[in-house]
Amino acid sequence: MKLDLHVHTTYSDGVLTPRQVVEQAKQCGLSAVAITDHDECRGYGDVADERDIKVIAGIELSAAFHGEVHVLGLDVDWQNTALLAHVNSQSQSRRKRAEAMVEKFRDNGIEMTMQDVLDACKGDVLGRPHFAEVLIKKGHVNSTKQAFAQYLNQNAKCFVARGKVDIREAAQLINDAGGKTVLAHPGLISGTVWNELSGRLTEFGFWGIEAYHPAHTNGQCRELLSFAKSGGLFVTSGSDFHGYAKTAVEIGQERRGGKYLARSMSALGVTAR
Ligand code: AMP
Ligand code: ZN
Ligand code: FE
Ligand code: FE
């Protein structure tokens, strides 16, 4: 199906602006694209006037549930007061974390300033990929992968945890902003956490799950599809595109899905080719 409901932009840790994402989506012949930045929804404002392709206002909230899970909000009111208050508080907490990380890097003998990180980040969502960019630029590592392995992963030297909203609150924020709450890339969630979470998605206010994601095997897609169908949940599909520099994924790359995805898209008000 030619749509992409999970795309990052320069408003978080993607490399393309919302306008560039939309142009790329049009070139690929997609009928719909959702802008879903980490803890940020204002990127939609830059492309709200778009008429040639359906652009969906979205967000990908980092939420707490036995660790971290990602919660997509699709078709949200991106100007909703409570949602914007959350965006603002996350941005502040990410800034504090970035300051603590800069300290850790300096303690580890790597010269770095807050300005270096701010220069790598075009929006207000300071993330670890921006640190990776700084490390590459300064010649400490050769790749994002190496930056994460040596310094940024949860068990690595310079990791600092970040405040997250509880999964229920995440769903509530999205639902209250008129959006549909979708569990992002469930195939990336560990088996034990999935066993705890899967039976409670409806109770938490979820509308669907992202059954189709480039990191999912065909087998996982099939299992997630039948899980969704049997549990009264809808399914979505997205590439999780961040930019060519970071992964090999392209906009619109996730093309799997069938009738139930089409039905889910109708429920979302999206008609796809
Ligand atoms: P943060 O928002 O600071 O927690 O950073 C999380 C983001 O870093 C994810 O959304 C990915 O875009 C990226 N990321 C996480 N782990 C890796 C990794 N091992 N290699 C490359 N990018 C990663
Ligand atoms: Zn990201
Ligand atoms: Fe994610
Ligand atoms: Fe994502």
Side-chain angles (χ1 to χ4, degrees):
M1 193 167 271
K2 288 194 135 188
L3 47 75
D4 193 336
L5 299 191
H6 189 160
V7 178
H8 295 270
T9 77
T10 46
Y11 274 77
S12 62
D13 55 4
V15 302
L16 301 185
T17 62
R19 182 64 70 192
Q20 288 171 325
V21 162
V22 166
E23 288 310 314
Q24 183 73 32
K26 282 198 265 186
Q27 267 180 29
C28 299
L30 304 191
S31 36
V33 64
I35 307 289
T36 55
D37 280 301
H38 299 287
D39 299 328
E40 172 63 277
C41 55
R42 289 170 295 174
Y44 176 82
D46 291 0
V47 286
D49 61 349
E50 183 59 48
R51 292 292 169 262
D52 300 336
I53 179 173
K54 179 159 175 80
V55 184
I56 295 167
I59 192 162
E60 184 178 23
L61 295 176
S62 301
F65 184 82
H66 298 287
E68 180 169 327
V69 293
H70 287 176
V71 180
L72 288 169
L74 296 176
D75 209 12
V76 294
D77 169 10
W78 65 282
Q79 290 170 312
N80 176 271
T81 307
L83 192 59
L84 286 176
H86 178 70
V87 163
N88 189 38
S89 89
Q90 284 302 299
S91 151
Q92 284 175 23
S93 114
R94 280 173 174 277
R95 193 178 167 111
K96 284 208 183 79
R97 178 190 56 161
E99 282 164 359
M101 284 175 71
V102 166
E103 280 303 307
K104 275 203 169 181
F105 275 104
R106 294 167 75 99
D107 292 346
N108 279 278
I110 291 182
E111 267 318 301
M112 190 187 284
T113 63
M114 222 13 225
Q115 195 56 49
D116 293 328
V117 186
L118 291 169
D119 288 346
C121 177
K122 309 210 168 36
D124 291 331
V125 183
L126 291 171
R128 284 173 288 159
H130 303 115
F131 280 87
E133 205 171 308
V134 173
L135 292 169
I136 293 170
K137 202 164 159 191
K138 288 180 178 286
H140 294 291
V141 295
N142 297 317
S143 65
T144 304
K145 196 177 163 187
Q146 194 188 350
F148 271 87
Q150 271 177 255
Y151 300 103
L152 302 169
N153 276 339
Q154 193 162 348
N155 300 317
K157 276 183 246 180
C158 299
F159 177 80
V160 177
R162 167 169 61 71
K164 288 178 284 273
V165 71
D166 176 75
I167 191 167
R168 277 177 221 260
E169 289 171 51
Q172 179 114 37
L173 274 168
I174 292 163
N175 294 340
D176 287 352
K180 303 272 196 279
T181 301
V182 175
L183 184 66
H185 40 69
L188 295 178
I189 296 172
S190 81
T192 45
V193 175
W194 173 251
N195 288 341
E196 290 283 330
L197 178 58
S198 51
R200 307 185 67 185
L201 290 169
T202 307
E203 168 200 335
F204 290 162
F206 279 75
W207 173 88
I209 59 170
E210 188 180 40
Y212 304 99
H213 181 282
H216 294 171
T217 64
N218 289 339
Q220 281 178 313
C221 292
R222 273 196 302 275
E223 281 173 28
L224 290 166
L225 172 67
S226 73
F227 165 79
K229 274 178 164 174
S230 66
L233 290 159
F234 287 107
V235 294
T236 69
S237 156
S239 68
D240 209 354
F241 174 83
H242 280 76
Y244 307 106
K246 282 171 190 159
T247 53
V249 172
E250 286 182 46
I251 289 177
Q253 180 176 312
E254 181 51 72
R255 298 284 288 275
R256 292 171 290 188
K259 275 190 199 151
Y260 194 64
L261 176 59
R263 227 173 89 195
S264 303
M265 292 304 98
S266 307
L268 187 64
V270 174
T271 39
R273 279 169 281 181

